[in-house]
Structure formats: C-alpha cells, structure tokens
Amino acid sequence: MKIAYISTYPPRECGIATFNQNLVKAIASNFPERETLLKGDFVVALTDSENLQEYEYPEEVKYVVRQNHQKDYIRAANFINTSNADVCILEHEFGIYGGESGIYILPFINRLEKPLLSILHTVLKDPSYVQRIIIREIAEQSAKIIVMSQRAVEFLTEIYDIPAEKIQIIEHGVPDLEAPAINPVKNLTPFKNHRVLLTFGLISRNKGLETVVRALPEIVAKHPDVMYVILGNTHPGVIKNSGEEYRDHLKSLAAQLGVSQNLAFINKFVSEEELIQYLTASEIYVTPYLNEAQITSGTLSYAVGSGAAVVSTPYWHAQELLADNRGRLFDFKNCDELANIITELLDDNEALAELKENAYEYGLHLRWPVIGAEYIREAQEASYAHDFRDKILKNSIVDPEIMPKFSLKHVLRLTDDTGIVQHAKYGIPNLKEGYCLDDNSRALIMASMAYERNNSSEAYELLPVYLSYIHYMQCEDGNFRNFLSFDRRYLDDVGSEDSFGRTVWALGYLIALTSSNSYREFATELFHRSFPHFKALVHLRGMANTMIGISAYLKIFPTDEGMLNEMNRLTDQLVAAYEKEHADDWEWFEEKLTYDNAILPLALLHSCEVTGNEKVKKIALKTMGFLDKLTLANGYLSPVGNDGWYYRGGVFPTFDQQAIETMAMVLMHFQAYQIFRKPEYIEKMFLCYRWFLGENTLRAPLYDHETKGCCDGLLPNGINRNQGAESTLAYLISHLTVLKAFELEYEYNKVQHKRLESC
C-alpha cells in the first residue's frame, strides 16, 4: 500500500509539519524489511511562501502547493490522481490552507479519486459558518475522520452532525525514545544546579506564559533553585506582525516581579531527540494555555510520552490526557493555584515520582510505531472499501434528498409592509439601504411559484406586499422607479432598463400563474400601463427580461396581436445583436460576457416556444452551448465573475460569482428541457443548482441552513456572508424550478438510469 500525505512538512517550522513527518516515519517503521520511507510514498507539502524553492524539502516531498494559490491545489489533485498512491492522508488545520478558514482545501479534496483519511488537529466548539462547512465537507469526502480525543468526537457528532461511525480516535503519537543515561542538557547553564520548570513550543500570547511568570515569586520564595525555561522560537506569524514584543513583555514582567534570575529563554527549534533530553532534565512541565479551546496539544502529548510530571490548565486535551493522576490541573490564569501545586510537588518527591511513572506508562501506547500501526489499519480498510465509481455516481445522479427543505424564513425576515429590503448584514436586514424594484419583482416571481407549488399561505400573503410595491414605484407614464428609502422616499426618477424588464417579467409571471382574479387584474393593469415603454428599450438584458414577461402573458392572452408583435420585434433585436457579433469562436450577442448572461438565451427559448421560429431556436441553442462550454467545463458551474467581465480574446474572470448568474442558468436549462425534452438539460440544471449547495469553485455552500438565506456570492478568499434579497431570491427561484423539474422525472429518469447502468 502506497500513501500520499498532504500537509505542511519540515523544514517549515510548524507543529503540523512535525506531526506529519513523524507519521510518515511511524508508518514506515512497521515495515522493517523496507526502506526508512516506503517506496512509492510521497508528500504533497503546503508552503506559506510564494517561492516554491523557499524550503529545501527532503526527497519524499514530490509536490509543493503554495497556500494562497488556488490552481496549485487543482494541479496537486491531478498529480495525486495520476500517481500510484492507494490512499491519501490529509492533515487538517484551518490555518495551513488558503482562503477564508482554509476553504481552498475543498475543491482539492473533491477532485481526489483516491480514498482519503483526514486527521483533524482542530475541532472548534463554536465554528464560524465557513468553518462548519469545511469540516462537514471534509467528512463527506473522507473514508474516515481521525481525531485525537473523545471531546473531538462529541463535537463532530453534536455540532457538525457527522455520523459517529465516520470518526476514529487515534491519539497523538510521541517519540519512541528513552531518556539518555547521561543527559547533556543537565549541564546547560539554565539546568545546572536548578530544578527546572519547562514549557516548549512556538511562542505566542495565547500560550499564557505570563501566568507561570506571575507564579514564580511564590515558588522561588520556598524553592530558590527553581528556573523557568521557555524553549522555542517565537511563532513566525507573531514575528511578522509584532516581532519579539511578547518575549520582551515576559522579560519585563519577570524584572518587575524580581524573578529575572529565575527565567531563561532558549530560542531554538529542537529535534525530537533533543526535546526528550530537555523534558527528562526538567522537574515539571507546564502548559498554561488561556482557555479550554484546545482539542489537541502535541506538546502535551510529548511531555506525557516522555514521562514528565505535567501541570496544566484544564483545556480539553489536558482534561483527558492528564486524567487518572497522570498530571495536575490548575484554573486558567490562576497563578496562585499554579504556585501552590508546583510548590506541593517540589516538596513531595514521592508524589512527583508517581506522576512521572503514571505518565510514562500511559505514554508507551502513544509511541509512534504503535500509532503508525493504527493508521495502517485505517488506510488499508479505506483502500479496500474504495470504489471511485461511487464518487462518479454520487455526483451524477439527480437526488432530491440533497436539497434543503424549502423555507421562506429569511424572506419573511427581510420583508415588511412596504416590500423586501435590498440588503442584509450577514442574516440581518440592513434597513439603511432601503428597497429596490428589482428585488421586489424577483420576490413576486418567487412567491407566485411557491404558492403555485403547494398553496403556501405564507407565499400567498406576500403577493400583495410585492405587488403593492411595484404599484407604488410605477410612474404616471407607466415607467418605473427603482429605489426607495426605508422611510418611503423615492431615490430616483426612473429606474434602469434591467429593473423595468424584471418587473414586466414578474407581472407577466403573476398573470400566468395566479388563481386570484383580483391579483391578475391588478397585474394586468400595471403590465399594460408599462407597454408603451417596451419600444424605448435599448439594452439587451432589459429586452430579454421583458420578453420573458411577454411570453408568460401570452400564455393567458395568446390572441393579443400587439403583444405578439412586440415579442417578435424584441426577438429580432436580440437576433440582430447575435448576427453582428458572433463568429466561429464567439457564439454570443456582445463582444463580452458580463452579468446575468443566461437571461439572453433564456429569452430566445421563451420566444421560440411562443412563436415556433426555428432560426431563433438555433441561435438559442448555439449561445446556450457557448455559455455552457465556458461555465460548466470543470464539471461544476463557474459563472463569469464580475471582476472585469469576459471579453472576447481575454482572460475568463473567476470571481466574484453572483447568485443571479446561477438562477438564470437553472432557468435556461429547464426551459431548454421543456422545449427539447433532452435529459442532458435536466442534468445541467441540477448541476447549476448545486452551485448553491457547494459544487462550485470553492466547494463551499452559499445556502445557509440556519438562516434559510443565501450568501451574496463567492469571493476569491471565501464567501460573501451577507444574505441580501437578490441572492436569497435567486436561490429560492432556482430551488422551486428544480422542484418543478422533479414533477417530470418519469420522463427523463429512464434515460438517466440506462446511462448509469452502463458505467
């Protein structure tokens, strides 16, 4: 069995790097007849440098990923997939991967075709929205999640909803080393003729070292030979931001307390052999962390494994590892309690020896070769059980079970008696931004769809709110304003053509769907009042939105020749734009793709459904195919980003990705299916919809299961966590479209099953 390890790696100074190197060696040690590193095993190393040559990695590192370069992750996945690795072992810590909370890891693991074991070094009790998404997605993509404490299991099952059978506890390994008979560390100045209290590891403020310094005066008063040794470099991130400010603070504090002579710093990153020497040369090892949120501590494991007498604050890992008299606990920041415990142990050699013996005995089963054997068993099981076809089928089959339950909760939160508020700060309405016609028109479409689907009383009660807003924003001449302040003051004289077209769409949709005569009559009146402005439209998207509204209207009033003529006139303008710009390599209406792109082919699909025009149908198919080729090429939807648009011959912008792009793609493919009855359009529709649920460039869901809203978009480094009306309505309209498609499953599922059976 050959293993690909994904992690940071020495010479980068990082606790995860050291752990991963130890794991590589631990697994190899279980095969003594083989080389030190198993032939075929390799490491994919995460670097914090822009320079791939920054670290002189050993030969087992075969691929380097720059932490903040998304393409590196994709290329690394391809490298692993084409390698002879049988299984992957991933070390996870939020800070070692790029993007918000390390979100760049999600596209990487989604592309892996090898079975995956994921080791979680941090499991947060109060994760952020994105952090919870990341852990859940890692669990979904992994054969097993490995953690190092029972508390981590509890968190994963209770907070992250991960099945217990997916989780395995394997404790943190410790060096398979014994204390040297003659320990050279005892001759170092800080150790010679001193009883040493030791803390080691990268230094930063969250380590709480000042608590030990504050305890020193009381300890030294009874044991003047005590020396507190802090072993380790300052954390690189701390050095970058504030230099040695924290170390200097500790020195100053010791001087103020009169214990400068009892504090020593050894500024070095030590090897394991050296670390054992330091630990066994010390009387007591102290971990004074400031809060309980430490699910795993490698330094604590090493101390116990070496047989040290440990005194610690009661963070989660310490509570478990130091149970059964393997160590002593003191309360966070309580220097007096710490002083009492250390003084008591220094006074009682038998109690001190008992702690050391208990820790040593327990540490024997934490030795790296023992831990390595446990990983081998898990890796073998994952490899035997893996079938890559399962992943293909999971991503290909249309499955209604993956869809969240439809909810108007966030829409109701955003809606008051005036209309739906434009924006939100996270999930909270941002009243300062007021209202806009675009969103209230989308809200009217969504509420109409929701009421049509299940006679929702909530949706029905929303209809007059949004319809009333549209009425309030219609000018005397039939045109529409767009923006309204929270105190109901008009903020513009005339709205954009986009907002005009979307309003015509919404009115036409309500006319076509509603069972209420009064609503239909009201909507028809507003629709007809706006009709004179159809001819003034000059922008393609305004035309396209208007065409969709006209097509809905004509389903109820098919003999309205004036409206049919207007549909043909607007269609001709889109066709003319296409004929002017298109070429063999550019099947589009403009010289660039900007926003809401799928609306243009969608409008032509609606037009040809009404008119039967074959030329229009062909142009709709060509432009839809062109858009699909650009945005679905990676097997998931990656719409044109709004950071510069996509110009002919230019570079495709990945970010920022907006929800309205996805909604238009969902609607476009569903409309194509309704006309052509080809299951491929249903597949693409579901693929586009799953952008909201995490099948996207960052592998991050935008739908928020807690608020029932949708995040505003994908950014280069993560998710825009604001959940405004536009994105939430785009999600809900897409969701309702998918639900409508399920009603036709009996038609397309036969072909779908035949295809899967042939795999």
Side-chain angles (χ1 to χ4, degrees), residues 359-375:
Y360 178 82
E361 289 297 324
Y362 189 82
L364 292 175
H365 89 278
L366 302 180
R367 299 287 177 101
W368 273 118
V370 179
I371 297 299
E374 294 189 48
Y375 277 97

Side-chain angles (χ1 to χ4, degrees), residues 137-430:
E137 186 66 18
I138 289 174
E140 175 68 22
Q141 298 293 342
S142 302
K144 273 286 175 67
I145 291 291
I146 295 172
V147 295
M148 303 176 203
S149 67
Q150 181 59 41
R151 185 63 64 92
V153 176
E154 294 170 6
F155 286 176
L156 290 175
T157 54
E158 296 172 8
I159 299 170
Y160 299 83
D161 299 320
I162 296 172
E165 60 269 18
K166 200 76 179 277
I167 308 167
Q168 179 66 40
I169 296 179
I170 301 179
E171 292 190 77
H172 197 297
V174 302
D176 189 26
L177 299 169
E178 296 291 343
I182 300 176
N183 191 340
V185 168
K186 290 184 177 181
N187 291 320
L188 297 178
T189 300
F191 286 78
K192 193 171 185 178
N193 300 320
H194 290 109
R195 304 186 77 178
V196 173
L197 314 178
L198 178 70
T199 297
F200 80 89
L202 292 174
I203 297 174
S204 61
R205 279 195 174 272
N206 64 343
K207 298 299 176 68
L209 305 181
E210 61 274 12
T211 304
V212 187
V213 175
R214 292 183 187 281
L216 282 178
E218 185 176 343
I219 297 169
V220 170
K222 295 184 178 180
H223 296 277
D225 58 344
V226 161
M227 178 70 72
Y228 179 37
V229 175
I230 298 174
L231 170 64
N233 293 326
T234 300
H235 193 286
V238 175
I239 288 287
K240 182 178 180 180
N241 295 318
S242 53
E244 293 290 2
E245 180 272 336
Y246 182 51
R247 192 187 298 267
D248 292 340
H249 164 70
L250 294 174
K251 292 178 181 178
S252 176
L253 178 62
Q256 293 173 23
L257 297 173
V259 290
S260 293
Q261 300 304 312
N262 302 92
L263 174 64
F265 290 93
I266 300 178
N267 307 348
K268 62 184 297 188
F269 191 82
V270 297
S271 67
E272 287 185 350
E273 290 81 1
E274 290 177 295
L275 180 56
I276 294 299
Q277 294 172 10
Y278 278 99
L279 285 166
T280 54
S282 304
E283 289 283 3
I284 297 173
Y285 179 75
V286 187
T287 54
Y289 298 159
L290 296 176
N291 60 67
E292 65 180 358
Q294 181 91 6
I295 207 76
T296 303
S297 170
T299 59
L300 181 68
S301 296
Y302 277 29
V304 170
S306 71
V310 181
V311 178
S312 174
T313 50
Y315 54 91
W316 294 322
H317 194 202
Q319 291 178 36
E320 292 185 34
L321 195 54
L322 301 183
D324 301 323
N325 200 33
R326 291 190 291 269
R328 298 284 298 275
L329 300 176
F330 68 98
D331 200 13
F332 300 106
K333 301 181 182 179
N334 194 329
C335 56
D336 293 332
E337 186 180 8
L338 172 61
N340 290 337
I341 291 173
I342 290 178
T343 300
E344 177 186 323
L345 289 174
L346 294 177
D347 287 341
D348 189 342
N349 288 330
E350 290 186 8
L352 192 62
E354 185 178 2
L355 283 185
K356 291 182 177 182
E357 180 64 23
N358 291 342
Y360 178 82
E361 289 297 324
Y362 189 82
L364 292 175
H365 89 278
L366 302 180
R367 299 287 177 101
W368 273 118
V370 179
I371 297 299
E374 294 189 48
Y375 277 97
I376 290 170
R377 286 192 291 273
E378 294 298 332
Q380 289 174 336
E381 183 178 328
S383 180
Y384 295 152
H386 181 68
D387 185 348
F388 178 53
R389 288 179 303 170
D390 291 341
K391 192 165 188 176
I392 297 175
L393 295 180
K394 181 184 73 172
N395 289 336
S396 300
I397 295 174
V398 173
D399 182 6
E401 294 300 320
I402 71 171
M403 299 177 66
K405 183 179 179 181
F406 180 79
S407 172
L408 291 172
K409 179 180 177 181
H410 191 53
V411 168
L412 293 171
R413 186 182 298 119
L414 293 174
T415 301
D416 58 20
D417 59 355
T418 298
I420 191 166
V421 175
Q422 278 191 84
H423 298 298
K425 293 295 290 182
Y426 302 98
I428 307 302
N430 183 0

Side-chain angles (χ1 to χ4, degrees), residues 669-697:
H669 287 113
F670 183 56
Q671 180 67 13
Y673 177 77
Q674 290 182 302
I675 296 173
F676 303 108
R677 284 313 197 248
K678 291 184 178 180
E680 66 183 83
Y681 297 124
I682 294 294
E683 294 177 36
K684 290 179 179 179
M685 179 200 69
F686 273 100
L687 185 62
C688 293
Y689 166 77
R690 293 200 295 270
W691 179 90
F692 292 106
L693 305 185
E695 292 193 28
N696 52 47
T697 308

